Amino acid sequence: MSPCSGCGGGFPESDGPTHPYMLSSPGCWAAYGALLEREYSDPELFAASHRLTVDAYAVQHPGLATDRRAVQSVTIHFASLHAILELGWSHADARAHLQRLAGRDYASLPAALRFDLTLADLDGLPVGQHRERVEQWAISAYRAWRPLLLSVVEPLFA
């Protein structure tokens, strides 16, 4: 097993592709693809979990603090988690709000965080536990960033 440079989770060694600015190990990126494949193949699972899956993965793979795309990605996906987990918005409303936030610049990010729960903790998960575990993962990712980004994101909802 090899630790992911983004989330810190342990994944099998791999020489495969990674995302251009959400830095991760190839094994983590492959596991994310497999999780997305599961959600895309089940409309109920997609509706219940996909928004949280994408947001949790994005905030746990911040990339370089000097890369505008990476900073924007973490901030916007954190805002989506905030809308869903704290404000009670629907996934559709959070997704629509992301689109309105996309053209802005945001403050650079602090150093990488440690996460209590990562994608590695969802690997091999039975379908029946998917929704609950994705929600736990999203809450964990949100809580890690909350002390650092809440003051940046709250005004975006005013």
Side-chain angles (χ1 to χ4, degrees):
M1 299 299 250
S2 176
C4 174
S5 59
C7 67
F11 296 90
E13 288 281 340
S14 171
D15 291 330
T18 60
H19 190 274
Y21 61 84
M22 287 192 286
L23 300 182
S24 69
S25 68
C28 184
W29 184 246
Y32 179 58
L35 191 69
L36 293 179
E37 183 178 342
R38 174 187 275 188
E39 290 179 355
Y40 286 130
S41 67
D42 183 331
E44 273 187 45
L45 211 53
F46 182 87
S49 301
H50 186 68
R51 176 79 267 143
L52 294 176
T53 295
V54 172
D55 292 336
Y57 191 85
V59 301
Q60 286 192 341
H61 296 85
L64 301 174
T66 56
D67 187 331
R68 179 183 181 273
R69 300 169 302 171
V71 171
Q72 190 178 48
S73 175
V74 170
T75 306
I76 290 171
H77 287 285
F78 176 82
S80 177
L81 289 172
H82 178 74
I84 294 166
L85 299 173
E86 295 244 2
L87 304 179
W89 288 21
S90 71
H91 292 204
D93 288 343
R95 184 178 56 254
H97 194 62
L98 288 176
Q99 293 170 344
R100 290 190 295 272
L101 301 177
R104 302 178 184 195
D105 286 325
Y106 300 98
S108 61
L109 301 171
L113 301 174
R114 304 290 298 152
F115 300 102
D116 295 331
L117 193 64
T118 70
L119 176 58
D121 298 302
L122 280 73
D123 199 29
L125 188 69
V127 174
Q129 297 174 16
H130 183 99
R131 182 178 180 174
E132 178 183 350
R133 198 66 166 155
V134 165
E135 187 171 330
Q136 292 169 350
W137 176 37
I139 290 167
S140 174
Y142 176 76
R143 285 182 180 158
W145 279 103
R146 191 176 191 281
L148 302 169
L149 288 180
L150 188 60
S151 65
V152 172
V153 166
E154 279 185 320
L156 302 175
F157 292 89

